[in-house]
């Protein structure tokens, strides 16, 4: 199914009138395709990701995943849709310090209170795929920065989301570790559609499509 984003705009009220941050952003992604978004700080990249992640509504425009009109979903429907269909990877890993690597990966399932053996096996399998087979029971404080980001990637993919959103996922890592994390992200995409915000031109060049956010518009 196609992920279609059409003419997304976002305005914020100010004393002097509406402040236009996004001015009609559009793109389409098929399964396994990826899009990188670059642009200067303050250009609206994080705002756009927040809208794509259903964390805030657009002022206008629409988003569709197959036959589902995401922008038409009711407020009560959004958390379930977000949990099942959208994965997030941030610059900061946002792991729970008191939980092991495996428990952090399984958090989306634990939040539902539905942790089956199959789901636990998927968490273990993902950690093995990101190279953390021997770190399942380690807490974040016992992991390196790159290892913590690997856990965050596994957590984002545990529900097999239709869309994976990554906001500067390599921004806090050294060059070597950043390259490894980039390899993992692109390797593990599978049938997921990846939208990636990055300042790294080398990482951006590896995605299916490259775009730049300039003056609120998404340019190819």
């Amino acid at each position: 199914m196609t992920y279609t984003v059409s003419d997304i705009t976002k305005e914020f009220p100010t004393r002097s009138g509406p402040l236009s941050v996004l001015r009609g952003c559009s793109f389409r992604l098929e399964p396994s395709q990826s899009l990188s978004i670059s642009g200067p700080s303050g250009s609206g990249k994080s705002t756009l990701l927040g809208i794509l992640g259903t964390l805030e509504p657009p002022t206008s425009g629409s988003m569709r995943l197959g036959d589902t009109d995401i922008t038409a979903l009711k407020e009560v429907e959004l958390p379930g849709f977000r949990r099942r269909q959208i994965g997030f990877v941030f610059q900061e890993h946002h792991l729970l310090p008191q939980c092991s690597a495996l428990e952090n990966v399984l958090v989306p399932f634990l939040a539902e209170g539905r942790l089956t053996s199959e789901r636990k096996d998927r968490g273990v399998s993902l950690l093995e795929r990101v190279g953390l087979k021997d770190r399942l029971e380690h807490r974040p404080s016992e992991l390196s920065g790159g290892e913590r980001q690997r856990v965050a990637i596994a957590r984002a993919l545990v529900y097999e989301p239709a869309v994976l959103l990554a906001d500067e996922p390599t921004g806090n890592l050294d060059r070597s570790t950043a390259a490894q994390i980039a390899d993992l992200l692109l390797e593990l995409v599978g049938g997921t559609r990846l939208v990636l915000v990055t300042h790294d031109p080398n990482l951006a060049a590896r995605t299916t499509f490259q775009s730049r956010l300039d003056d609120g518009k998404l340019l190819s």
Side-chain angles (χ1 to χ4, degrees):
M1 53 185 171
T2 304
Y3 179 47
T4 307
V5 175
S6 302
D7 294 322
I8 292 296
T9 71
K10 185 64 177 181
E11 294 180 347
F12 295 97
T14 69
R15 291 184 178 182
S16 58
L19 173 64
S20 181
V21 176
L22 301 175
R23 305 169 184 268
C25 297
S26 302
F27 63 85
R28 291 164 57 100
L29 290 178
E30 302 294 343
S32 303
Q33 291 184 335
S34 54
L35 167 72
S36 59
I37 302 173
S38 61
S41 298
S43 60
K45 300 187 299 299
S46 294
T47 298
L48 178 57
L49 276 195
I51 291 172
L52 299 180
T54 72
L55 299 174
E56 60 178 296
T59 301
S60 65
S62 66
M63 300 181 293
R64 300 187 67 91
L65 182 60
D67 294 331
T68 300
D69 185 348
I70 302 171
T71 40
L73 294 176
K74 298 178 182 178
E75 190 70 26
V76 70
E77 298 174 305
L78 288 176
F81 176 86
R82 189 184 306 128
R83 185 170 59 250
R84 292 187 301 271
Q85 301 289 5
I86 302 176
F88 295 90
V89 180
F90 302 100
Q91 187 170 345
E92 296 290 340
H93 49 76
H94 297 299
L95 300 182
L96 299 177
Q98 73 276 20
C99 294
S100 68
L102 179 57
E103 288 169 337
N104 268 287
V105 170
L106 297 175
V107 159
F109 296 146
L110 295 173
E112 285 188 340
R114 297 170 55 195
L115 181 57
T116 63
S117 59
E118 290 81 8
R119 287 180 165 185
K120 183 176 180 180
D121 289 345
R122 174 160 175 78
V124 171
S125 175
L126 278 169
L127 284 173
E128 289 177 347
R129 290 184 67 188
V130 299
L132 296 179
K133 179 180 180 180
D134 299 324
R135 298 286 191 273
L136 300 183
E137 300 304 323
H138 285 57
R139 294 187 179 183
S141 61
E142 300 172 304
L143 302 173
S144 68
E147 288 172 335
R148 289 194 289 268
Q149 195 65 310
R150 289 168 184 261
V151 175
I153 291 171
R155 178 185 59 193
L157 293 170
V158 74
Y159 240 120
E160 300 182 84
V163 179
L164 178 62
L165 305 176
D167 191 0
E168 293 287 357
T170 62
N172 284 343
L173 304 174
D174 63 77
R175 182 175 297 181
S176 175
T177 305
Q180 295 172 15
I181 294 300
D183 288 343
L184 274 175
L185 267 176
L186 296 170
E187 174 190 337
L188 294 174
V189 165
T192 299
R193 303 140 191 85
L194 171 64
V195 180
L196 172 72
V197 165
T198 182
H199 286 294
D200 183 348
N202 294 320
L203 175 55
R206 298 176 62 184
T207 57
T208 312
F209 306 105
Q210 297 82 40
S211 61
R212 178 177 176 81
L213 198 54
D214 189 14
D215 193 30
K217 297 180 180 180
L218 201 58
L219 308 175
S220 299

